[in-house]
Amino acid sequence: MANIRDVAKHSGFSCSTVSRAINNTGYVDENTRRIIMQTIEELDYKPSYTAQALSRKSSKTIGVIVSEIKNPFFSDLIDVIYERAQEAGYRVIISISSNMPEKECAAIDFMQRIYIDGIIIAPCGKNDGFLTTVNTPLVVVDRPVEQLPSVASDNYAGGRMVGEEFSRCNVKSVLCILGPSHFKTSFLRGKGLVDMLLAKGIPYTVLESNDEMSFSSEDLANHLRTGLYDGLFAWNGTIGANALKCMNTLGLRMPDDIQFITTDGSMLSDLLMVSPTMLIQDIKHLGESAVDMLVDIVQNKPLEQKHVLHPMYLRKQDTTQHSERRKKCEDGI
Amino acid sequence: MANIRDVAKHSGFSCSTVSRAINNTGYVDENTRRIIMQTIEELDYKPSYTAQALSRKSSKTIGVIVSEIKNPFFSDLIDVIYERAQEAGYRVIISISSNMPEKECAAIDFMQRIYIDGIIIAPCGKNDGFLTTVNTPLVVVDRPVEQLPSVASDNYAGGRMVGEEFSRCNVKSVLCILGPSHFKTSFLRGKGLVDMLLAKGIPYTVLESNDEMSFSSEDLANHLRTGLYDGLFAWNGTIGANALKCMNTLGLRMPDDIQFITTDGSMLSDLLMVSPTMLIQDIKHLGESAVDMLVDIVQNKPLEQKHVLHPMYLRKQDTTQHSERRKKCEDGI
DNA sequence: CGCAGATGTGGTATCGGTTCCATATTTCAG
DNA sequence: CTGAAATATGGAACCGATACCACATCTGCG
C-alpha cells in the first residue's frame, strides 16, 4: 500500500506538505492541495491509522467493553454507541468480557496499548477496584462505580414505578425476583419497588437468584403454588422469560391469576403470545450520553454531572390490569 | 507510560537487547534477561501494540465483522472465534456491519489501516464483488463467496435432513418459509428440503419472505388457515419464532395439527413452553475452523480445502412426532 | 521603500518499537 | 594456540505518520 512518501514523491511535494494538505493544518496553497488530493486518489493512498496513532498518541477510537454480547440490552447499546461515536468523529472497537474479570482486564490492557482515546465499559462487577486505577478516560454504563463517571438508568425510580403500578392494579401481595444482592442494578430496582410497596402497605417476598441469568424454576414454582401472590416482578429480561415460562407451566393466567412485570424484555413481545408489562430502559439515551460524556472527558471539557441517571419507562401491556387494558376489554377488543 | 527506552536506561542495556529479551529473538544472556524482566516488572512496562504493529507491519490481531450482533448465531460465533484466536496467539477486534455494505467496507478499511493480520467476515451479501478485491487474508463464514475461502454449514444436506424427518413423521404436505432467493443460506436449505420432498413424493409450497428477519404473518396465517398443510419449515430462528407465534394464535397444536421444524432457535427453547424440533448449526466447529483457516492463510500454510462445510444436526423435540416422543407419551410423560 | 506579518514549503526529530549489521567476547575444535 | 563459530550487546535505520522549526516569498501598511 502507498504511504505518505509515495504521495510526496508522485506529487512533487514534501511529506510535510502532504500531511498538512490532508489534515487541513497549517498553510497549503489551493493549487498544491488539488494536486496532492489527486495524487492521493490515483495512488489510492490511505493514511495508516497505526502510524497516526503512534505519532499523535491518540487513535481517534473509543473502545466498548460489554460483559455479555447475547444480552439484547448490550447489543442494542453497542449499536447506539457506534452511531453516536461516528458522529463525534471517533471509530469504535468492541471487546467482550463474558463477565470474566480477567477478560475485562485484558480488554482494557489491549485498548491502552493501541492508544485508544477512551473506553465505555459495562463492567462485569468483579473488577471495580482495578477500574478506578485505569488512567485512560473511562465511562461506566449500566452499573455505576462510585469513583468513575457513569451513565445508568434510574433503577431506584424504576422500581418505585413498578411498585406504584402494582398498587394501582390492586395487587395484594408481590413476589420479587431479584439478582444477587451485590448487583447494584438489581439492588436498586428492588429497593425502589420494596420502598414503594411498604409505602402502599402491600406485603412482598424477595427471591434472590444466585446468578445474573439463571434461576431456580422449582423455587419460583414452589412459591407461586402457595397461591399467596398475585403480583410478580422480574428484575431482568432473561429471568422474566423464565418466570413467564414457569407461570405458563403452572397454568397461571395473566393478569387474572397473577399480574406480572418484567424488565427489558422487548424480545419477549416478539416471541410470545402475551406482551408482558415491562419496566424498560432508554437504551438510546443511555448510549448517547455515555458517548457524549466520554468525548467531553477526552477533550478535557468539564463534566456537568459525574453520574447521569436516565428515567426508565413502564410499558403497560397484557400482564397487568391497567386501565387502558380494561377499556379495551370493555370495548370487546 | 514507560517505553522501551526507559527500560533500557533503567536496566543498563540497550533497546536492542531489551527487545530481544522480550521477544526471545537472538542471543541474550540469562542474567541480562533476568535483570531486564525485573526492570520491566518494576516500571510496569507494556510494549505499545501500535508501535509493534507499525514496525512489524502486523498487529497479531484478527478482525471479526458480523452483519448482526443481536442474532444469537453471531454472538455465539464471536465467542467461539474469540477463544480459538486467543489460543492461536491472536487478539480479536469486532466490528458490526448492521447488514449495511457501506459499514462493511468501512470496517474492512479500518482494519486494513491498523495492520490487522486477517479478517473473518459474515458478509452482508451486498458486497461480494468488493470482498474479492480485498488483499488482507479473508475467511468468509456462514455465507460463502465463490472466490474466497469459506466456512459454512452444509445447508443443502441440512435441508434434506428436514425433508427426511417430515417424511418419517408422515407429513402429507409441507409449507416452507424461506428467505429471499438471493440468500444462499436459505436457498440451499430450501433446495435440500425440496429435493428430498420431491424424492419422497410429498407436496410442498414455498413462501418467500422479502427480508432476512421480518415476515408477513398474515400471509403465513392465510396459508395455514387453508388447512392444507401439516408440516411447516422455517429457514431461520427469527422467522421460526414468528411462525410459532402465528400457529399459537391460530390455535394449531404441535405436533398434532401441524409438525414444525425451525432452524437455529435455541433461545426459543429457553423462552417457550414448547421446544421446537430444529435444524441446528455446529457453531463451535464453524468458528474454530474459520479461525484455523485464517491462521493458516496468514502463516502462508497451504489450505487443505477452500470451502469447508460442517454438518448440521437435527434436534428432535416437541413439535414433530419422532419416535422418542411417542415413547414418552406412551410412558405417560 | 522597508519591514513586519502572513503565506507556502521543506527538513528533520519524534512517536515506540524491531531488526540488520557491526563489534566484542567467549567457546571450542583442530 | 589459533581461528572459526557461537554468544552477547549496542548503534542506527526503519515502519508511516505528525509537527516543530527554518527559510523563502509575498502582502500591505506606515
Side-chain angles (χ1 to χ4, degrees):
Chain A
M1 239 203 257
N3 63 27
I4 201 171
R5 273 169 261 270
D6 298 327
V7 176
K9 203 162 292 175
H10 280 74
S11 64
F13 294 93
S14 69
C15 293
S16 320
T17 305
V18 174
S19 177
R20 259 178 276 124
I22 296 171
N23 299 298
N24 285 313
T25 63
Y27 297 110
V28 176
D29 187 85
E30 222 16 80
N31 199 39
T32 305
R33 162 169 282 123
R34 256 212 326 284
I35 296 173
I36 289 175
M37 288 310 177
Q38 198 186 322
T39 312
I40 288 175
E41 194 79 18
E42 282 167 13
L43 299 182
D44 190 31
Y45 164 68
K46 294 171 181 177
S48 153
Y49 287 147
T50 300
Q52 286 185 333
L54 182 60
S55 182
R56 296 182 180 150
K57 286 171 164 275
S58 147
S59 61
K60 269 288 176 182
T61 304
I62 66 177
V64 180
I65 305 175
V66 296
S67 51
E68 251 278 35
I69 192 64
K70 288 168 210 175
N71 188 327
F73 171 72
F74 290 124
S75 46
D76 284 347
L77 190 66
I78 287 176
D79 279 348
V80 175
I81 290 175
Y82 204 94
E83 286 307 322
R84 189 66 156 207
Q86 202 101 16
E87 285 167 27
Y90 288 86
R91 294 180 289 271
V92 174
I93 71 170
I94 300 158
S95 274
I96 297 157
S97 73
S98 306
N99 268 310
M100 295 161 69
E102 322 84 59
K103 286 201 180 180
E104 193 169 284
C105 290
I108 292 174
D109 177 71
F110 170 63
M111 291 181 177
Q112 291 185 318
R113 285 157 172 246
I114 60 171
Y115 295 108
I116 220 119
D117 290 315
I119 299 176
I120 294 176
I121 182 170
C124 68
K126 301 154 195 158
N127 241 347
D128 292 0
F130 170 70
L131 290 184
T132 61
T133 71
V134 172
N135 49 14
T136 304
L138 215 64
V139 168
V140 173
V141 286
D142 191 42
R143 303 172 194 165
V145 173
E146 179 52 32
Q147 299 90 330
L148 296 168
S150 70
V151 179
S153 290
D154 189 345
N155 291 294
Y156 179 76
R160 291 182 67 94
M161 287 166 64
V162 172
E164 204 147 41
E165 176 70 3
F166 277 137
S167 160
R168 223 165 47 76
C169 293
N170 290 313
V171 166
K172 302 297 174 226
S173 175
V174 176
L175 184 59
C176 316
I177 317 177
L178 301 181
S181 55
H182 64 272
F183 254 72
K184 259 224 173 121
T185 317
S186 163
F187 174 79
L188 287 171
R189 283 174 203 161
K191 179 145 176 47
L193 172 54
V194 163
D195 282 0
M196 182 54 76
L197 292 178
L198 283 172
K200 299 284 186 180
I202 303 174
Y204 63 87
T205 304
V206 169
L207 263 183
E208 195 175 289
S209 74
N210 43 6
D211 189 324
E212 181 178 11
M213 290 299 169
S214 76
F215 187 78
S216 159
S217 293
E218 289 121 73
D219 200 15
L220 174 60
N222 288 336
H223 275 80
L224 290 177
R225 278 205 200 88
T226 63
L228 286 174
Y229 306 99
D230 61 344
L232 178 64
F233 171 69
W235 84 277
N236 79 22
T238 312
I239 301 282
N242 287 331
L244 216 42
K245 193 170 174 178
C246 183
M247 287 183 290
N248 276 325
T249 313
L250 294 177
L252 292 172
R253 285 160 313 153
M254 295 164 291
D256 301 321
D257 297 329
I258 191 162
Q259 304 205 36
F260 174 57
I261 302 180
T262 181
T263 312
D264 276 344
S266 315
M267 82 290 192
L268 293 178
S269 299
D270 297 339
L271 296 179
L272 304 177
M273 298 283 296
V274 290
S275 296
T277 289
M278 32 193 196
L279 179 66
I280 49 182
Q281 306 195 57
D282 187 345
I283 299 183
K284 185 156 189 293
H285 285 112
L286 282 175
E288 288 179 354
S289 29
V291 173
D292 294 348
M293 266 178 103
L294 186 61
V295 169
D296 281 352
I297 299 174
V298 169
Q299 297 174 354
N300 282 314
K301 291 182 193 153
L303 274 192
E304 292 176 15
Q305 264 188 291
K306 188 163 181 182
H307 299 284
V308 173
L309 284 186
H310 282 278
M312 300 183 85
Y313 298 96
L314 195 69
R315 187 186 293 160
K316 300 169 186 175
Q317 293 184 128
D318 307 343
T319 57
T320 50
Q321 275 165 342
H322 55 285
S323 49
E324 291 95 313
R325 192 186 162 280
R326 280 222 193 82
K327 196 168 161 298
K328 276 193 191 168
C329 289
E330 282 156 14
D331 293 352
I333 300 174
Chain B
M1 241 203 256
N3 63 29
I4 199 171
R5 271 168 259 269
D6 298 327
V7 176
K9 204 163 291 173
H10 279 75
S11 65
F13 294 92
S14 70
C15 294
S16 322
T17 305
V18 174
S19 176
R20 258 177 278 125
I22 296 171
N23 300 297
N24 284 313
T25 63
Y27 298 109
V28 177
D29 187 86
E30 222 17 79
N31 199 39
T32 305
R33 161 169 284 122
R34 256 212 326 286
I35 296 173
I36 288 176
M37 288 309 178
Q38 197 186 323
T39 313
I40 288 176
E41 195 80 18
E42 282 166 13
L43 300 183
D44 190 31
Y45 165 69
K46 294 171 181 177
S48 153
Y49 287 148
T50 301
Q52 286 185 331
L54 182 61
S55 181
R56 297 182 181 154
K57 285 168 165 280
S58 147
S59 61
K60 270 285 176 187
T61 303
I62 66 176
V64 180
I65 305 174
V66 296
S67 51
E68 252 278 37
I69 193 63
K70 287 168 210 174
N71 188 328
F73 171 71
F74 290 124
S75 45
D76 285 346
L77 190 66
I78 287 177
D79 279 348
V80 175
I81 290 175
Y82 203 95
E83 285 309 322
R84 189 66 155 207
Q86 202 101 16
E87 285 168 27
Y90 288 86
R91 294 180 290 270
V92 174
I93 71 171
I94 300 159
S95 275
I96 297 156
S97 74
S98 305
N99 268 310
M100 295 160 68
E102 323 83 59
K103 285 201 180 180
E104 193 169 284
C105 290
I108 292 174
D109 177 71
F110 169 64
M111 291 181 175
Q112 291 186 318
R113 285 159 172 244
I114 59 171
Y115 295 106
I116 218 120
D117 290 315
I119 299 175
I120 295 177
I121 181 170
C124 69
K126 301 155 194 156
N127 242 348
D128 292 0
F130 170 72
L131 290 183
T132 60
T133 71
V134 172
N135 48 17
T136 303
L138 216 64
V139 168
V140 174
V141 286
D142 190 43
R143 303 172 193 165
V145 174
E146 178 53 32
Q147 299 90 331
L148 297 168
S150 70
V151 179
S153 290
D154 191 344
N155 291 295
Y156 180 76
R160 290 183 67 94
M161 288 166 64
V162 172
E164 205 147 39
E165 176 70 3
F166 277 137
S167 159
R168 224 166 46 76
C169 294
N170 289 315
V171 166
K172 301 298 171 225
S173 175
V174 176
L175 184 59
C176 318
I177 318 178
L178 301 181
S181 54
H182 65 272
F183 254 73
K184 260 223 173 118
T185 317
S186 163
F187 175 79
L188 287 171
R189 283 174 203 161
K191 179 146 174 50
L193 171 54
V194 162
D195 282 359
M196 182 55 76
L197 292 178
L198 282 173
K200 299 285 185 181
I202 302 173
Y204 63 87
T205 304
V206 169
L207 262 182
E208 194 175 290
S209 74
N210 42 8
D211 190 326
E212 181 177 9
M213 290 298 169
S214 77
F215 186 76
S216 160
S217 294
E218 289 121 71
D219 200 13
L220 174 59
N222 287 336
H223 275 81
L224 290 177
R225 278 203 201 90
T226 62
L228 286 174
Y229 306 99
D230 61 343
L232 178 65
F233 171 69
W235 85 276
N236 78 22
T238 312
I239 301 282
N242 287 330
L244 217 42
K245 194 171 175 179
C246 184
M247 286 184 291
N248 276 325
T249 312
L250 293 177
L252 291 172
R253 287 160 312 155
M254 295 166 290
D256 302 321
D257 297 329
I258 192 161
Q259 305 205 35
F260 174 57
I261 302 180
T262 182
T263 312
D264 274 346
S266 315
M267 84 288 194
L268 293 177
S269 301
D270 297 338
L271 297 178
L272 304 176
M273 298 284 296
V274 291
S275 297
T277 291
M278 31 191 195
L279 179 66
I280 48 183
Q281 304 195 59
D282 187 344
I283 299 184
K284 183 154 190 294
H285 285 113
L286 282 176
E288 288 179 355
S289 29
V291 174
D292 294 348
M293 266 178 103
L294 187 60
V295 170
D296 282 351
I297 299 175
V298 170
Q299 298 175 353
N300 282 313
K301 290 182 195 151
L303 275 190
E304 291 176 17
Q305 266 187 289
K306 186 163 183 183
H307 299 284
V308 174
L309 284 186
H310 283 278
M312 300 182 85
Y313 298 97
L314 196 67
R315 187 185 295 159
K316 298 170 187 175
Q317 296 185 130
D318 307 343
T319 57
T320 50
Q321 275 165 340
H322 56 283
S323 48
E324 291 94 312
R325 190 185 165 281
R326 279 222 193 80
K327 195 168 161 298
K328 276 194 192 168
C329 287
E330 283 155 15
D331 292 350
I333 299 173

